[in-house]
Amino acid sequence: MEADAAQNPNPSPVPPPISAYYQTRAEHHAVVSSDWLAHAAAAASFPGADAAAADATAPPPSPGVGGVIEEFNFWRRKPEAAEAVAAIMALAAVIRSSRATTMMELEIELKKASDKLKSWDATSISLSAACDLFMRFVTRTSHLEHEKFDAAKSRLIERGEKFGEISLKARKTIAMLSQDFIYDGCTVLVHGYSRVVLEVLKLAASNRKIFRVLCTEGRPDRTGLRMSNELAALSIPVKVLIDSAVAYSMDEVDMVFVGADGVVESGGIINMMGTYQIALVAHSMNKPVYVAAESYKFARLYPLDQKDMTPAHRPIDFGVPVPTGVEVETSARDYTPPQYLTLLLTDLGVLTPSVVSDELIQLYL
Amino acid sequence: MDIRRPPPRSSSGGVEPRFRQVGFVTSAEPEAEPAPAASPPAPDGLSTGARSPVMIPPPLIPDHLHAPVPVPVPAPASESQSFMPSSPPPASSSRLEAASDLDDDDDVDVSWARPPPPALPEPYKRYLTEKKNEDAPASFSQKPKLSRAERRATQEAQRAAKAAAKEAGLKSTAMASDVNTKLSKQPKTAKTSLKKDMTQVNPPVASDKKTSVHPPDKDRKKDGPQPRMQFDNAHRVVKAKKRSIVNQSEAQNRVELFRHLPQYAHGTQLPDLESKFFQPDLMHPSVYKVGLQYLSGNISGGNARCIAMLLAFREAINDYSTPAEKILSRDLTAKISSFVSFLIECRPLSISMGNAIRFLKNRITKLPLTLSESEAKASLQSDVDRFINEKIIVADKVIVSHAVTKIRDDDVLLTYGSPSVIEMIFDHAHEIGKRFRVVVVDSRPNLEGQGLLRRLVAKGISCTYTHINAVSYIMHEATRVFLGASSVLSNGTVYSRAGTASVAMVAHAFGVPVLVCCEAYKFHERVQLDSICSNELGDPDAISRVPGGKSSSHLKNWADNENFHLLNLKYDITPSDYVSMLITDYGMLPPTSVPVIVREYRREHFIACTIDLLHWHGLLNHLGQSELPASKDCCFDTEQTPHMCADAKSKAFSALDMCSSPKGRGEPQHCCRLATPMGTLIPGSLQPDGPSTSPFSELSENVVRN
């Protein structure tokens, strides 16, 4: 894929920086080569994040704040690990290797590390949300005030490591909550590859629900193909659409299930490119749009429109060289305003979009 | 006062069904209570052992209708206000009424939209009113049990009867002296009230007096805080006039739909008031000055008016000395109330001012009695300073810092009128080097936008000026619409300068995001659906005068024509659908989150006590001594001691257990919200087994999962 990007005679004079977040996603979920089935199988058999998370000694020793990026990258490579979990792991490692002797020092050190992490990849919403959340623990956890410093420190580390489990647990919770929404005989449209949505459909299939799934192709990294592969392995009837066939097939769809890269304060979501148009089409045809997202993806952002976000770019492979003088829209994500979403299925419960802000206020104010 | 104790409940936590309450919830508990005993409260010694009158609103001097007891003559202002200090500060907009109509105060000041059960503050409030009525306690216990609606109906009937009696020219003194006349009169007056109301049932419930079930609009009036004095109610207007300093003369040709709003002939009373300036006993000079400035329009704009008022109060507090045999906290509250009613006569209060007054009165009533006078005054003055600084000045800075992040280069920002905070945003964005253009939309009659335009152009910002007629033409150029607000109501409705709604709607139609900037202290828990029921009428002459040209003479003698009305509405409301984002000092929020902020913000106002162990014990002792803490809704704030929170929380659990045990005096619904830094806990989610183990859930303790 990277090689393809190099082939592209991209006309823009300075190619925009590639979003690390979407690069990782592409590496984990995309179909990049002809033997993608083998790749996918290999990825599926990779030990999950829970195993990795439990193994606290695995990460290489990181030298303080400077190593937080490496630490983060180490965790990020694991395909089952959510970005947020990787961030928490990295911050936990900072605490572990910290030579601070007071809570205040540790806090400042952590703040530096989390700022660094956030600025390293400004395009990842769950990364910054997770950093904020973790900082919230440190600054707000009152147990720590009463304990000895060492005890408090180890408690923080322990917390950080628990976070990985929570992220998995959140997916299970969401899957359970969403079972009420999937009924026998329904047709579900999914967009791209989302671990939560996959979990939801998996559980529905194991509950012997009879339903059909339409997968979009998920250009440019064709994550939809990966999704359809996983679903077919569960013997769920799947049909793959090209992204532009969404409106065409919307009338046979009963509900739309999407994941989210981030849930913003307005209750809207930021997700892989194409979600907005699917939501628009679904809205105009009165089909419900359900978003499955873990609550650590809730971010204190409030985009007003599509351009009001940190741009996240991603190379696009058109298969043929792009003619010179032609510009390519390389943005990797779009913003779906809350009025086009029906419900958010989160580990906090089934929420209407307007509740997201209430939760955020309670979390951060 | 064990009459307040509800039926014992086994536990606050475990038995409750686990359900998730999100946002602005009212506990369902009051409804679950048994029908409250109807006997109105009696002073402690005379308590007849009635159970749980928690739900009973304070009685409307019922005695003159069924008891041979002298009716209290409508008290002069100072006397009636002497009851105010310990009463919870009234909702902002009903202040005039609260100040003037305490003698028939059947309107519970409790706003129905508040999260804790509305029953909570009533006992306390009732305790106040019953003091007033304690000359007739014996008659209370004879009343049969009534449901809430029935009681309300009774009160309405009584009120109508009273009004009718007044209209009939019955002197209240005569009523008081001659009981027989009154009793013979009573059926007649009650009948008139029945005639008024089409639906009337239910005489068997209270046979000694006629009751009627009123149409729902009466109910609504009673449930919620009355927005403000209804100026089409001649009876009340006359009463309010008696005490007013400002000699307002009613304007002619009032618009039918807006008769409930005060409409005065403008410009006549200023010289008269100015001449009164040096009368010593009238009003504190600084308050008087601010009042005159409101009247003349020299101070306008929500923040400016609020700051001016607070500074005047601050000065008045500085010069205040407690009269002999009075308590500072009570006398000063009365004093402030009289200031406020004077200011209202000059110009109706804005919601922001109402909130500020509420804050100040709350601080006064919360003053520890142990403080000396000078200490108390110093503490109040620093409170006022803190309010101005934190809630207005710093809040504006925070808003500006948020708002500039939404301004990109090459934006065209459209604004309407001249909101101070918007001007600060533009200034700041210009200072930090953003390139943008401003469209100032203005409207008659005030043309405030011209001032904004002048200042922006002087700073070198490129501007376009247009009137609101052209807003649909200019809107396609705009990329952002920045609006100010006088208030934001809890359904997300924006209450702002008239014309704002049109701008917002046009922007919505053009797909331009509308950003409303408003400090959180201007939020109000009221819900308003139209701009009619609560608004402010400006000078009608202002719109009849057209600057320049001969056409200005067309409307010269408009008041002579009976069929002609001029309407100069000052505010309108913008439904939340047309607002993309609210920028407040709490960050950028969707308008749906206003109730959350109102709740969190109120918490700061009504701090019963800061939770730490000592306070908890003190509080429990307090409850044990049958006295509710003098707060409206008994929420306990731990925000101030975040490091104590977890500890305090566990204590809170045990404390609540104690509360809910049959032996404890406090009821959990009195502590129905437990505000912790981790969010607001609701009793249903209080788990005696403490916080769960997962770190994430600890952040959202109140969220009951699954």
Side-chain angles (χ1 to χ4, degrees), chain B residues 403-417:
Chain B
V404 289
T405 63
K406 291 295 165 199
I407 300 180
R408 294 170 301 191
D409 280 348
D410 304 322
D411 261 352
V412 180
L413 312 175
L414 187 141
T415 188
Y416 174 70

Side-chain angles (χ1 to χ4, degrees), chain A residues 133 136-137 139-143 145-146 159-160 162-163 166 169 173 176-177 265-267 295-296 300-305 307-308 347-351 354-355 357-359 361-363 365, chain B residues 20 22-23 405-406 408 480 513 515 580-581 586-593 596-597 599-600 639 642-647 677-680 693-696 698-700 702-706:
Chain A
L133 206 59
R136 217 63 196 156
F137 279 132
T139 52
R140 270 203 164 177
T141 316
S142 42
H143 302 285
E145 302 282 334
H146 303 299
R159 284 237 173 122
K162 258 189 194 152
F163 205 90
I166 291 168
K169 211 166 81 185
T173 314
M176 247 146 68
L177 282 174
E265 188 127 27
S266 62
S295 58
Y296 58 72
R300 292 215 77 183
L301 291 174
Y302 200 136
L304 285 169
D305 49 39
K307 305 288 182 303
D308 194 13
D347 48 328
L348 303 177
V350 180
L351 313 178
S354 62
V355 178
S357 152
D358 302 4
E359 294 292 342
I361 289 171
Q362 288 186 347
L363 227 59
L365 281 188
Chain B
R20 180 187 163 73
V22 169
T405 63
K406 291 295 165 199
R408 294 170 301 191
R480 297 271 190 275
L515 296 89
S580 322
M581 177 195 282
Y586 289 98
M588 296 180 281
L589 309 167
T592 49
S593 289
V596 186
I597 293 294
R599 193 179 61 200
E600 304 283 305
E639 194 71 3
H643 59 280
M644 285 299 291
C645 104
D647 196 40
M678 298 177 179
T680 302
T693 46
S694 78
F696 191 79
E698 205 158 301
L699 269 186
S700 49
N702 61 325
V703 173
V704 183
R705 251 158 282 180
N706 296 344

Side-chain angles (χ1 to χ4, degrees), chain A residues 93-235:
Chain A
V94 169
I95 298 178
R96 204 178 293 120
S97 61
S98 162
R99 276 183 225 96
T101 50
T102 64
M103 265 332 263
M104 208 58 204
E105 263 179 83
L106 187 63
E107 210 175 304
I108 293 167
E109 212 166 297
L110 262 183
K111 180 93 188 84
K112 266 191 215 148
S114 89
D115 285 348
K116 196 166 176 189
L117 256 187
K118 279 199 260 181
S119 61
W120 181 76
D121 182 9
T123 58
S124 172
I125 296 158
S126 56
L127 167 62
S128 59
C131 286
D132 288 345
L133 206 59
F134 194 75
M135 290 307 292
R136 217 63 196 156
F137 279 132
V138 181
T139 52
R140 270 203 164 177
T141 316
S142 42
H143 302 285
L144 304 175
E145 302 282 334
H146 303 299
E147 290 174 15
K148 287 223 173 72
F149 176 73
D150 288 337
K153 194 171 150 183
S154 62
R155 185 192 280 267
L156 274 183
I157 295 169
E158 185 190 325
R159 284 237 173 122
E161 278 155 8
K162 258 189 194 152
F163 205 90
E165 298 163 33
I166 291 168
S167 100
L168 284 181
K169 211 166 81 185
R171 264 176 235 161
K172 296 236 159 57
T173 314
I174 294 168
M176 247 146 68
L177 282 174
S178 53
Q179 291 313 298
D180 297 341
F181 295 88
I182 298 174
Y183 49 88
D184 276 342
C186 67
T187 306
V188 182
L189 176 73
V190 298
H191 180 57
Y193 180 90
S194 155
R195 280 171 294 214
V196 196
V197 172
L198 183 61
E199 188 77 32
V200 168
L201 298 177
K202 238 186 219 171
L203 189 66
S206 67
N207 285 348
R208 307 251 175 91
K209 296 220 164 139
I210 301 161
F211 59 99
R212 202 160 67 98
V213 179
L214 302 188
C215 276
T216 58
E217 182 194 6
R219 286 272 293 153
D221 37 21
R222 284 175 279 180
T223 48
L225 289 186
R226 163 88 188 277
M227 185 77 169
S228 60
N229 176 41
E230 306 242 346
L231 289 172
L234 298 165
S235 63

Side-chain angles (χ1 to χ4, degrees), chain B residues 219-292:
Chain B
D219 283 3
R220 191 185 54 212
K221 201 167 122 202
K222 189 110 178 32
D223 268 350
Q226 209 156 7
R228 51 186 69 189
M229 188 164 130
Q230 304 292 299
F231 279 77
D232 45 357
N233 184 340
H235 164 63
R236 286 199 169 158
V237 169
V238 168
K239 212 158 51 173
K241 264 222 165 130
K242 260 187 226 159
R243 292 177 296 97
S244 69
I245 295 165
V246 189
N247 247 332
Q248 300 273 40
S249 54
E250 300 283 318
Q252 301 293 306
N253 295 10
R254 299 202 291 167
V255 181
E256 185 58 44
L257 197 56
F258 292 92
R259 274 179 194 275
H260 61 288
L261 301 174
Q263 170 82 82
Y264 300 123
H266 280 249
T268 53
Q269 63 286 68
L270 200 58
D272 176 46
L273 278 173
E274 273 170 352
S275 65
K276 281 191 200 164
F277 190 81
F278 293 106
Q279 290 179 10
D281 55 335
L282 210 56
M283 194 54 59
H284 190 275
S286 59
V287 178
Y288 204 77
K289 192 176 97 185
V290 170
L292 293 187

Side-chain angles (χ1 to χ4, degrees), chain A residues 312-364:
Chain A
H313 292 284
R314 181 170 53 172
I316 294 172
D317 171 25
F318 286 97
V320 291
V322 176
T324 44
V326 174
E327 221 179 316
V328 178
E329 175 63 65
T330 52
S331 184
R333 61 189 183 185
D334 58 18
Y335 163 62
T336 309
Q339 62 261 37
Y340 302 114
L341 307 177
T342 313
L343 287 174
L344 294 156
L345 313 172
T346 75
D347 48 328
L348 303 177
V350 180
L351 313 178
T352 58
S354 62
V355 178
V356 172
S357 152
D358 302 4
E359 294 292 342
L360 280 169
I361 289 171
Q362 288 186 347
L363 227 59
Y364 287 107

